[in-house]
Amino acid sequence: MTDLGIVMPVYKQKPAFLEAAMNSVLKQTFRDYKLVVVIDGAPEMEPLVRGLLGGDRRAEVISHAFNQGVAAALNTGFKALLGKPEIKYLTWVSTDNVYYPRFLDTLRSALAKGPRELGLVYSSFQSIDDEGRPLNSEQHLAVQRQYQSQPKEKLLDSSIVGVSFMYKACYAAMTDGYGMAPVEDYDYWLKLTEHCEIKFLPVELMDYRVDSAFSVSASLRTAEQHRKWRYAYHLTRHQARMRRGIAPAVTILYPLAESGPQAVERIENLYEQTFSNYLCYVLDLSPDMRVTADLSRISHPVTDFKWFPGANAATALLHAAQMLQTPYGYVLGPKLFKDAMDMNVLYDQLEKAPPSALSDYYTDDRTQLGYRHELASAGHAVYDELYRRQALVDSLKTIRAQSGDAT
């Protein structure tokens, strides 16, 4: 009985890449599957697709009249497969990747032999260039395997699943399909794994072609395109936390009297952090809301703007800090994060620290973390430190009192 279904969405693609991808699927050691190829508004590709399929009875071709995007193509293909009660396992493949002969067999066996609650399995993969040359050494692959082997909860921080995967149809039927372009796969994993468990297989089962001409990654090269991707990436994590009832852990406060290249660079730098379980409030100190007008152009799903016309930074910070609902607060200062994991490290270490540690921060040479055990005073800024909420409020009050600022 055919219990495995595969979807291949097809838009524009180099014929040689499509041929390599299609042949690698057709020549799998596990052969009893149903393949649905969805041509997404690219009728010029249909003759090539049908020629490569060669009348294979396992394959069905569906054509969209116009291009609707990867998510819509996947939903079309999986709708056809989920309508077949015998289909128990699902995956999808890209037109520029190459799948090793035991790709299907290995993933399907892991699902079939696993417990009922196991719904998604995924493996490591090799990255290749347009010439098919491998890009990762064994050392790099070992690091990648370690990264992908993180527990399920880490999916809320990043897409550890990658590009080699298979999941059970019964859990797929519990989701509302693919969406949230261009992070439709990551959004799907977050929705799917609200119903099932996951398992990583530390073996490479495919070649992932990096930045090929018609890939999604190749379409995200401009700053504006990257911003749209980043917005969707943050939004899908924020929505997943809301569905699961996970409250934000950190509130970031960013007081600004004026906007400019440095302010833009700093907020972009924040948005590139892997840590995402925060709320961000830009405290606009300008008289005409110029800061709000300029920085709101860089969209972010959890950033809001509070206008404090004529106030100084200390007054605005104290007012905002007293309204915090999160366990931690962070006042964004001029120092850029040097690494995308900086906020993760600060948060993880302060969570582990004893209550006597009021804040943590990177030392000037960035060789280690420092901890503050006393409230900050007028001689010490509160910027660029992760504080426990009440410690931040008390430090701001102390600084304001010592500076004699009553404005």
Side-chain angles (χ1 to χ4, degrees):
M1 181 180 69
T2 301
D3 63 4
L4 171 60
I6 309 168
V7 174
M8 175 183 277
V10 177
Y11 185 47
K12 297 177 180 179
Q13 188 54 269
K14 291 183 178 181
F17 290 177
L18 178 58
E19 181 177 6
M22 188 72 78
N23 285 341
S24 72
V25 173
L26 296 177
K27 295 179 180 178
Q28 290 287 302
T29 56
F30 183 86
R31 302 186 56 79
D32 194 9
Y33 59 79
K34 175 71 175 178
L35 171 64
V36 179
V37 181
V38 181
I39 300 177
D40 187 29
E44 69 277 12
M45 299 299 295
E46 186 160 347
L48 177 58
V49 167
R50 292 191 180 278
L52 292 172
L53 290 173
D56 195 309
R57 294 183 179 180
R58 298 172 297 178
E60 173 187 359
V61 178
I62 301 175
S63 294
H64 285 171
F66 57 92
N67 179 243
Q68 300 177 43
V70 174
L74 291 173
N75 289 335
T76 294
F78 285 121
K79 182 179 180 180
L81 291 169
L82 287 169
K84 303 177 185 297
E86 68 273 18
I87 297 295
K88 295 182 179 179
Y89 310 109
L90 298 168
T91 189
W92 65 271
V93 295
S94 297
T95 58
D96 55 355
N97 297 332
V98 179
Y99 300 87
Y100 299 171
R102 294 191 62 83
F103 166 76
L104 294 178
D105 193 19
T106 303
L107 294 173
R108 179 186 172 280
S109 294
L111 281 176
K113 295 176 182 178
R116 178 180 177 81
E117 62 270 18
L118 177 63
L120 169 67
V121 295
Y122 59 103
S123 81
S124 180
F125 55 91
Q126 173 64 275
S127 295
I128 61 173
D129 63 15
D130 279 4
E131 305 304 318
R133 293 173 295 219
L135 300 177
N136 291 330
S137 66
E138 179 54 40
Q139 182 179 8
H140 284 112
L141 289 174
V143 172
Q144 178 175 286
R145 294 184 205 115
Q146 184 177 19
Y147 168 76
Q148 288 190 275
S149 65
Q150 296 179 89
K152 172 184 168 181
E153 292 73 24
K154 289 299 182 179
L155 260 177
L156 279 169
D157 295 323
S158 58
S159 185
I160 59 177
V161 174
V163 292
S164 174
F165 49 80
M166 188 178 292
Y167 48 97
K168 289 178 180 176
C170 61
Y171 294 116
M174 297 179 184
T175 74
D176 56 358
Y178 286 84
M180 194 63 76
V183 295
E184 49 274 298
D185 51 352
Y186 181 42
D187 179 56
Y188 192 82
W189 307 140
L190 287 171
K191 291 187 291 187
L192 185 77
T193 54
E194 289 168 9
H195 306 288
C196 66
E197 298 303 317
I198 68 176
K199 181 179 181 180
F200 171 62
L201 308 181
V203 59
E204 288 70 51
L205 293 178
M206 57 166 289
D207 289 337
Y208 168 64
R209 205 178 298 273
V210 177
D211 287 339
S212 65
F214 299 107
S215 65
V216 172
S217 56
S219 69
L220 301 174
R221 289 173 179 164
T222 69
E224 188 58 34
Q225 290 166 337
H226 178 73
R227 284 176 177 175
K228 290 180 179 179
W229 171 86
R230 186 178 62 203
Y231 178 86
Y233 186 47
H234 279 286
L235 180 58
T236 196
R237 291 183 287 183
H238 177 61
Q239 290 179 339
R241 289 191 175 98
M242 290 182 66
R243 290 194 303 268
R244 301 175 190 192
I246 300 174
V250 178
T251 299
I252 294 172
L253 303 176
Y254 189 23
L256 282 173
E258 59 183 30
S259 55
Q262 288 184 330
V264 171
E265 181 184 23
R266 188 66 184 99
I267 200 120
E268 294 257 25
N269 175 253
L270 167 65
Y271 295 164
E272 293 295 326
Q273 287 289 293
T274 57
F275 183 83
S276 64
N277 192 22
Y278 62 81
L279 302 174
C280 178
Y281 292 103
V282 176
L283 310 183
D284 184 350
L285 312 180
S286 68
D288 57 358
M289 298 188 74
R290 173 53 53 191
V291 169
T292 299
D294 289 345
L295 292 192
S296 61
R297 295 171 185 164
I298 309 171
S299 298
H300 192 274
V302 295
T303 292
D304 201 358
F305 295 82
K306 304 295 182 183
W307 190 31
F308 294 87
N312 60 31
T315 300
L317 280 171
L318 179 55
H319 181 77
Q322 291 179 112
M323 296 187 294
L324 295 190
Q325 300 296 313
T326 56
Y328 302 103
Y330 189 96
V331 180
L332 206 64
K335 295 180 181 179
L336 295 175
F337 293 117
K338 299 298 184 183
D339 186 271
M341 291 289 292
D342 280 352
M343 277 295 295
N344 275 99
V345 173
L346 289 171
Y347 175 76
D348 289 344
Q349 294 307 308
L350 193 54
E351 277 274 275
K352 298 174 184 177
S356 60
L358 305 182
S359 75
D360 66 350
Y361 55 90
Y362 282 99
T363 56
D364 288 340
D365 61 6
R366 294 191 60 80
T367 60
Q368 58 185 334
L369 290 184
Y371 294 88
R372 186 183 298 281
H373 294 275
E374 297 180 354
L375 295 178
S377 60
H380 298 84
V382 295
Y383 294 89
D384 300 315
E385 294 187 29
L386 183 64
Y387 272 88
R388 301 190 193 276
R389 175 179 57 198
Q390 193 58 49
L392 176 59
V393 173
D394 292 344
S395 291
L396 288 167
K397 286 180 177 179
T398 300
I399 291 172
R400 189 164 182 255
Q402 291 178 350
S403 64
D405 181 14
T407 59

